[in-house]
Amino acid sequence: MLKRKLFFPPLMLLPLLFAAGLASAEAGSACGDKCHIIKPYAEGAKDEKLLVSRHFQAGIGCTECHEYTDEIRRNEEDMYAKGEYEEPMYTREYEPEFCFRCHESYDALRKLTEGLKEQWGRNPHESHMGEIGCYECHKVHQPSKFVCAECHHANWSERLPKGWKTE
């Protein structure tokens, strides 16, 4: 009986301690805090030259683009435990419709970037190649690439936004 009295109060505190631990973990957690593989990508949110930073500044977080279901979490934990993950992680190639959930359409982008004709000599969203995939140029967690520069040679480094590359 004495043992029960000694152990009963600490047992009653366990749910409270557990709840407090969960609350603090939730309050301070971000994708990069959970896994060292993700950490460089979460750190990229601080790099103003990357689109991930611009998305974060606009209030768009990781899960707006990256699904994180229990099934995905279990699969990722399993891959990590077995050492079957890619590092650096693969570059996601997404359909334009994915981007158009927020960025409307090619027509809207053409109108938004009309002013670049004056600055660059052309509007990159008005391409003779047609409506190419957004991911061809736009990278979120790495520097974006101005694909037009592969054929159209000019001093693009002076014209492009900070952080963009041409090769």
Side-chain angles (χ1 to χ4, degrees):
M1 190 79 166
L2 183 58
K3 283 184 184 176
R4 282 189 188 180
K5 284 185 182 178
L6 289 175
F7 290 106
F8 185 73
L11 287 177
M12 283 183 56
L13 291 176
L14 279 178
L16 292 172
L17 293 172
F18 181 73
L22 279 179
S24 67
E26 281 298 311
S29 70
C31 296
D33 294 337
K34 296 177 182 176
C35 175
H36 76 276
I37 300 165
I38 300 297
K39 197 167 257 177
Y41 299 92
E43 287 293 315
K46 299 173 189 168
D47 186 345
E48 292 183 8
K49 292 178 280 184
L50 300 179
L51 284 178
V52 66
S53 174
R54 305 242 349 239
H55 282 98
F56 266 60
Q57 289 171 11
I60 300 165
C62 302
T63 57
E64 299 292 325
C65 297
H66 299 280
E67 269 188 291
Y68 200 69
T69 63
D70 286 340
E71 180 183 0
I72 291 171
R73 181 186 51 76
R74 281 191 299 274
N75 287 341
E76 288 178 354
E77 287 173 354
D78 187 47
M79 287 187 327
Y80 180 72
K82 292 177 181 176
E84 296 175 351
Y85 56 88
E86 292 180 39
E87 194 171 6
M89 294 174 73
Y90 66 93
T91 299
R92 183 176 182 185
E93 293 181 2
Y94 36 86
E95 295 299 317
E97 289 72 31
F98 181 85
C99 301
F100 296 154
R101 296 181 319 170
C102 298
H103 296 285
E104 264 184 80
S105 66
Y106 275 112
D107 287 333
L109 290 171
R110 275 187 208 101
K111 288 176 187 167
L112 184 67
T113 55
E114 275 179 351
L116 293 176
K117 276 185 184 178
E118 222 174 276
Q119 184 182 354
W120 293 8
R122 69 189 62 225
N123 182 344
H125 295 110
E126 205 170 74
S127 172
H128 62 87
M129 301 293 290
E131 296 177 346
I132 62 172
C134 304
Y135 68 87
E136 294 291 340
C137 294
H138 298 279
K139 312 298 180 194
V140 178
H141 295 283
Q142 53 190 302
S144 292
K145 180 181 178 186
F146 188 59
V147 175
C148 299
E150 291 175 3
C151 299
H152 300 280
H153 304 285
N155 192 359
W156 294 112
S157 59
E158 291 179 5
R159 302 178 194 177
L160 292 171
K162 224 188 285 186
W164 277 67
K165 62 182 185 175
T166 57
E167 63 228 24

